[in-house]
Amino acid sequence: SNATDPPEEDWFRLRVVIDGDGLIADFTGSDPQGPHVMNCTYGVTASAVYNAVLQLVDNDIPHNDGVYRPITVIAPPGTVVNVVEPGASVAGNTETHPRLWAIVLGALAQAVPERVAAATGGSSSNFLFGGTHPDTGQYYVHYHLEGVGWGGRADADGNSNQVVPNGNCPNTPVEIFETRYPFVQTAYRLRRDSGGPGKHHGGLSTERIMEVRTDDITVSAVFNAMVKKPWGLFGAGGGATSELTVKRAGTDQFLTFRDAFGTRSNSRFANIKLTHGDQVMIRTPGGGGYGLPWERDVELVRQDVEEDFVSVEAAESEYGVVMLESGGEFTVDRRATAARRAEMMAAAGAEESG
């Protein structure tokens, strides 16, 4: 229970059974509810299952009582997927719902691989702050959310900087942010290499840097996906994990909130005081990839490098594509690429046989 404790982990366990014209999602075996805010109610768990299943069926099916009737959700009370009093569940909707949504898709990938996607970033990256505005003297408070990378799928890359599949968690435009709150956005961009490598790579996540422009502001946060990467499917890599760091005024290094303030967790804390000149950096998680990375079309990898979605180093190490650069233009070294990809395929084969 101190700042040196390792991260806490809870396991969601799911068994999906297709029985005739019905589907059973059984979360029996999931961990007991924990002394934290990531537990969720039965309603959240059920809605995550419905959300995932309805992503995979005909979009013309009306969402009425009949469409839910064939779906049975089993979530034992007292577990992380069906919290009971006095357990907390304030982050169950923004954080746990998208993770449950993803594991339903992961289970169904065994049955309908052509319809599913790899894991999304799976965190709304909740960043809350408030105080007295220096220009008006009025109280203000804001609940800020961020976009994530979505998972790659059978026929396309994942979407970049899109809200979690809950659907009601958009972020705040920079122009509104800066006119209403004493933060200046010094950077807001897609994160290079944040999408999980794959034949279809995961969507990119974002990096946002904000500088405090007032003498006192109180911040809190609830993040997820800081330890485990959002997973890829069918040999693909996972997306980048999330990060939340702070650079105190007069210093030159971003630190975790645990290192800077001694919080118990880097991802969940409350009532931390920041002051003028402090900077906060939010990096959201990327989406998992789909399919073997060395099967990605080399021209698509070249375009990814040109767009700064993928670094030259990752193009070679993750996709087996060796790039040549001249005057800001990128071309593919075809011979070196063929050799590198042959090495990667041989190594993967040896790992499977071993």
Side-chain angles (χ1 to χ4, degrees), residues 10-53:
D10 292 294
W11 285 90
F12 308 113
R13 294 179 174 88
L14 171 65
R15 181 170 180 257
V16 175
V17 178
I18 307 297
D19 184 12
D21 60 358
L23 181 148
I24 301 171
D26 186 356
F27 289 90
T28 300
S30 295
D31 280 2
Q33 65 188 54
H36 51 65
V37 298
M38 307 297 282
N39 309 294
C40 69
T41 62
Y42 179 87
V44 168
T45 298
S47 69
V49 174
Y50 300 147
N51 188 338
V53 172

Side-chain angles (χ1 to χ4, degrees), residues 170-182:
N171 63 16
T172 305
V174 170
E175 296 81 3
I176 300 298
F177 207 112
E178 292 189 339
T179 55
R180 294 190 178 181
Y181 311 114

Side-chain angles (χ1 to χ4, degrees), residues 108-155:
L108 291 174
Q110 302 169 60
V112 284
E114 74 284 357
R115 293 193 181 191
V116 302
T120 72
S123 174
S124 294
S125 305
N126 310 262
F127 184 68
L128 300 77
F129 58 86
T132 304
H133 201 289
D135 296 336
T136 64
Q138 295 184 337
Y139 294 120
Y140 67 89
V141 64
H142 183 56
Y143 196 124
H144 181 67
L145 306 166
E146 291 280 4
V148 297
W150 277 49
R153 47 199 190 275
D155 58 356

Side-chain angles (χ1 to χ4, degrees), residues 116-121 148-162 190-205 230-240 285-311 314-315 318-319 321 341:
V116 302
T120 72
V148 297
W150 277 49
R153 47 199 190 275
D155 58 356
D157 297 331
N159 294 343
S160 298
N161 190 21
Q162 183 170 316
L190 294 175
R191 289 177 69 188
R192 181 199 302 135
D193 294 333
S194 59
K199 181 177 181 179
H200 299 292
H201 65 62
L204 274 64
S205 60
W231 40 262
L233 281 174
F234 309 118
Y290 187 107
L292 298 170
W294 56 81
E295 292 184 354
R296 185 169 179 80
D297 187 291
V298 295
E299 176 58 22
L300 293 179
V301 177
R302 188 197 66 78
Q303 292 176 18
D304 291 337
V305 172
E306 194 171 64
E307 295 283 353
D308 204 28
F309 295 163
V310 173
S311 65
E318 302 292 346
Y319 294 92
V321 177
R341 288 191 156 185

Side-chain angles (χ1 to χ4, degrees), residues 131-334:
T132 304
H133 201 289
D135 296 336
T136 64
Q138 295 184 337
Y139 294 120
Y140 67 89
V141 64
H142 183 56
Y143 196 124
H144 181 67
L145 306 166
E146 291 280 4
V148 297
W150 277 49
R153 47 199 190 275
D155 58 356
D157 297 331
N159 294 343
S160 298
N161 190 21
Q162 183 170 316
V163 300
V164 294
N166 303 42
N168 61 347
C169 301
N171 63 16
T172 305
V174 170
E175 296 81 3
I176 300 298
F177 207 112
E178 292 189 339
T179 55
R180 294 190 178 181
Y181 311 114
F183 270 114
V184 170
Q185 314 278 314
T186 62
Y188 182 41
R189 53 192 165 227
L190 294 175
R191 289 177 69 188
R192 181 199 302 135
D193 294 333
S194 59
K199 181 177 181 179
H200 299 292
H201 65 62
L204 274 64
S205 60
T206 61
E207 175 183 281
R208 186 191 299 267
I209 301 176
M210 305 179 292
E211 183 171 323
V212 178
R213 307 301 293 172
T214 186
D215 290 337
D216 182 64
I217 190 168
T218 302
V219 302
S220 303
V222 179
F223 278 51
N224 203 349
M226 278 194 179
V227 177
K228 300 288 187 182
K229 288 185 174 184
W231 40 262
L233 281 174
F234 309 118
T241 55
S242 65
E243 299 176 24
L244 178 59
T245 54
V246 60
K247 183 170 71 172
R248 303 307 306 274
T251 68
D252 58 3
Q253 184 179 3
F254 280 95
L255 302 173
T256 65
F257 275 77
R258 174 181 279 187
D259 289 338
F261 294 99
T263 60
R264 180 181 176 186
S265 169
N266 287 326
S267 60
R268 299 189 291 275
F269 53 80
N271 299 326
I272 299 298
K273 300 291 186 180
L274 300 181
T275 190
H276 201 288
D278 290 346
Q279 293 186 350
V280 175
M281 178 161 62
I282 296 173
R283 288 176 169 170
T284 63
Y290 187 107
L292 298 170
W294 56 81
E295 292 184 354
R296 185 169 179 80
D297 187 291
V298 295
E299 176 58 22
L300 293 179
V301 177
R302 188 197 66 78
Q303 292 176 18
D304 291 337
V305 172
E306 194 171 64
E307 295 283 353
D308 204 28
F309 295 163
V310 173
S311 65
V312 171
E313 294 78 14
E316 180 173 350
S317 64
E318 302 292 346
Y319 294 92
V321 177
V322 181
M323 305 300 304
L324 302 173
E325 189 269 336
S326 178
E329 298 291 329
F330 293 95
T331 57
V332 177
D333 185 329
R334 300 282 174 172

